[in-house]
Amino acid sequence: MTAIDLNADLGEGFGRWRLTDDEQLLSVVTSANVACGFHAGDAATMRRVCELAAERGVTIGAQVSYRDLAGFGRRAMDVPSAELAAEVAYQIGALQVFARAAGARVAYVKPHGALYNRIVRDEEQAGAVVDGVLLADATLPVLGLPGSRVLALAAEAGLPAVTEAFADRAYTDEGTLVPRAQDGAVITDPDAVVERSVGLARSGLVTSRSGARVAVRARSLCLHGDTPGAVELARRVRRCLEQSGVRVEAFA
């Protein structure tokens, strides 16, 4: 039976402001990408999400980012390699405290936003992310886009490299994500998102923005928690995956 992990970006709030419905999404997903304070999240939020995830048996992952609270981690930045590596390790370490306190552990790392997209091709920044993961915990899997430099460098360094797909993002013919600034970058039709989710899980194929069929072999499927109706959409995706014979389970 085909197996797929469902992950979502959680803990994306700060102080009194909350963007994601963490409690409801944690009843659907199998892995939680917890914001570690650089693009969103704070100490209290990180602790709360780790406790909720541990209660529900959801795997906890560190979602690391450029230091960009104002831009939600989606602005391009140039950070020296040594500084970026240290900041990645810092974010992982912070989340590890709260995961351990909840009786769980940080089980993987997923970069966020501009950093995620940058390290698809940027050798230097990808290497810095891998160095940061190694500094924090040399056993942690790295979650990223198939064919990305960060996954190649992670594998070379002995870290498990786990591929990821996005049902609600448009793809180029090369298998990369269409930048959010471009029209049509985000798929908003719930039926289309569900159909793409099942297709990605069962065949490893997705239709690009130009109409080409592109291979995107992934072990994990990301469901964005900051879109309208995210919880109900996540429930539909999981239900349809299971009805189509796909086993939904965490990869770590």
Side-chain angles (χ1 to χ4, degrees), residues 2 4 6 167 191-205 213 221 236-246:
T2 300
I4 195 83
L6 293 181
D191 293 335
V193 172
V194 172
E195 181 180 354
R196 286 161 68 91
S197 298
V198 174
L200 282 162
R202 290 187 59 83
S203 69
L205 294 171
R213 295 290 281 169
L221 183 66
R236 279 191 62 192
V237 167
R238 177 157 187 167
R239 182 169 61 249
C240 288
L241 285 169
E242 292 173 336
Q243 289 173 347
S244 68
V246 176

Side-chain angles (χ1 to χ4, degrees), residues 38 65-67 78-91 115 122-136:
F38 273 36
S65 171
Y66 286 128
R67 188 189 292 270
D78 289 311
V79 181
S81 294
E83 183 178 339
L84 180 57
E87 292 190 339
V88 166
Y90 178 93
Q91 292 174 78
L115 179 59
D122 191 308
E123 188 89 6
E124 183 178 347
Q125 296 278 278
V129 169
V130 171
D131 287 345
V133 176
L134 291 170
L135 183 60

Side-chain angles (χ1 to χ4, degrees), residues 44-241:
T45 302
M46 292 161 68
R47 182 179 184 182
R48 175 179 56 82
V49 175
C50 284
E51 289 173 347
L52 289 170
E55 288 173 4
R56 290 162 172 75
V58 176
T59 298
I60 296 170
Q63 186 159 50
V64 299
S65 171
Y66 286 128
R67 188 189 292 270
D68 182 27
L69 272 177
F72 197 60
R74 287 179 175 164
R75 297 186 293 191
M77 303 182 77
D78 289 311
V79 181
S81 294
E83 183 178 339
L84 180 57
E87 292 190 339
V88 166
Y90 178 93
Q91 292 174 78
I92 296 168
L95 190 65
Q96 284 173 328
V97 170
F98 299 116
R100 282 197 301 266
R105 66 185 180 94
V106 173
Y108 67 94
V109 177
K110 175 184 173 179
H112 165 82
L115 179 59
Y116 185 97
N117 291 314
R118 177 78 170 267
I119 58 180
V120 170
R121 295 192 176 94
D122 191 308
E123 188 89 6
E124 183 178 347
Q125 296 278 278
V129 169
V130 171
D131 287 345
V133 176
L134 291 170
L135 183 60
D137 184 341
T139 68
L140 289 176
V142 177
L143 186 60
L145 208 64
S148 62
R149 290 309 303 152
V150 70
L151 291 191
L153 293 176
E156 289 175 12
L159 298 171
V162 183
T163 53
E164 176 182 38
F166 297 81
D168 62 353
R169 291 294 307 277
Y171 279 83
T172 68
D173 291 351
E174 292 73 39
T176 58
L177 300 179
V178 173
R180 281 182 175 269
Q182 297 183 19
D183 290 340
V186 179
I187 310 299
T188 57
D189 178 6
D191 293 335
V193 172
V194 172
E195 181 180 354
R196 286 161 68 91
S197 298
V198 174
L200 282 162
R202 290 187 59 83
S203 69
L205 294 171
V206 68
T207 302
S208 73
R209 190 167 62 168
S210 73
R213 295 290 281 169
V214 179
V216 182
R217 305 260 175 209
R219 178 63 183 85
S220 187
L221 183 66
C222 181
L223 304 174
H224 282 107
D226 59 346
T227 55
V231 173
E232 183 53 38
L233 179 57
R235 288 180 179 141
R236 279 191 62 192
V237 167
R238 177 157 187 167
R239 182 169 61 249
C240 288
L241 285 169

